[in-house]
Amino acid sequence: MIFSEHDLKREVTKVQPQMAIETTRELFNALIAHGVSETQLLNKSGINLQELQESDGRYPVTSHLELWKTGESLLNLNAIGLHMGAKSDPFSRGVVGLAFTASKDLQKAIDNKIRYTKILAEHISLEFEQNETAFSITYSILEGNFHRYEIEREFEGLL
């Protein structure tokens, strides 16, 4: 079978980015702990609780984003990412969270976070720059998957 460049581009755009399901599980549990009704959260977000609890695989970014939006709506809480980031637990983020927390210092923790980000989320990339007095982290999100929630959560969690 022969594919044209147009066919290949069309196939690539059909693939939805995935992320580690433990990130969605952590968000779900944090929203419940913050006072959201589990029943309302499941009904409005479309999350499958059994899949969320039993899977160790990948999860669609679009479903994760829907969970964020539903949580924000049910809590009526602006800057929800900052609130969830303040409660973020790296020990619930799988091997990447463990690599982050086991790092000998902040520099190594950030290096590990950048190195392993694609394990947590295919749609995110991080870049680190440093000079003599400061450092910066550039957080990029694949076009069509941008949302502020995860950026807020990520940087609050780093703090």
Side-chain angles (χ1 to χ4, degrees):
M1 181 176 268
I2 299 174
F3 291 101
S4 70
E5 184 177 338
H6 176 73
D7 291 331
L8 292 175
K9 285 181 182 177
R10 189 173 58 231
E11 282 300 312
V12 168
T13 59
K14 286 181 183 179
V15 177
Q16 294 296 316
Q18 304 277 310
M19 59 191 303
I21 199 165
E22 61 257 20
T23 304
T24 305
R25 185 179 304 123
E26 179 193 28
L27 173 60
F28 181 86
N29 292 330
L31 290 167
I32 300 299
H34 209 75
V36 173
S37 158
E38 182 176 297
T39 302
Q40 283 186 307
L41 191 56
L42 290 170
N43 289 339
K44 291 188 176 190
S45 70
I47 296 291
N48 178 320
L49 185 58
Q50 183 176 356
E51 180 182 12
L52 193 62
Q53 291 174 335
E54 295 176 3
S55 177
D56 288 325
R58 310 295 285 165
Y59 204 70
V61 172
T62 53
S63 297
H64 183 77
L65 179 54
E66 191 58 39
L67 182 62
W68 273 113
K69 290 176 183 177
T70 302
E72 180 179 50
S73 171
L74 291 172
L75 287 171
N76 193 26
L77 182 63
N78 289 330
I80 189 173
L82 296 176
H83 290 277
M84 296 301 111
K87 297 174 188 268
S88 183
D89 178 9
F91 292 103
S92 67
R93 311 292 301 287
V95 69
V96 177
L98 294 175
F100 183 83
T101 56
S103 301
K104 68 178 182 173
D105 56 31
L106 180 60
Q107 176 68 54
K108 188 62 176 171
I110 291 171
D111 289 346
N112 283 332
K113 176 69 176 166
I114 291 170
R115 181 177 296 117
Y116 300 118
T117 290
K118 291 295 183 192
I119 292 173
L120 288 178
E122 297 172 353
H123 67 297
I124 296 172
S125 65
L126 302 174
E127 293 180 30
F128 179 81
E129 291 183 37
Q130 182 177 10
N131 63 32
E132 294 171 9
T133 59
F135 72 88
S136 67
I137 300 172
T138 302
Y139 195 105
S140 302
I141 298 177
L142 185 66
E143 185 177 346
N145 295 279
F146 179 81
H147 58 92
R148 71 178 199 285
Y149 311 115
E150 203 64 35
I151 295 170
E152 291 173 352
R153 189 206 56 77
E154 185 72 34
F155 283 99
E156 180 66 26
L158 279 172
L159 291 175

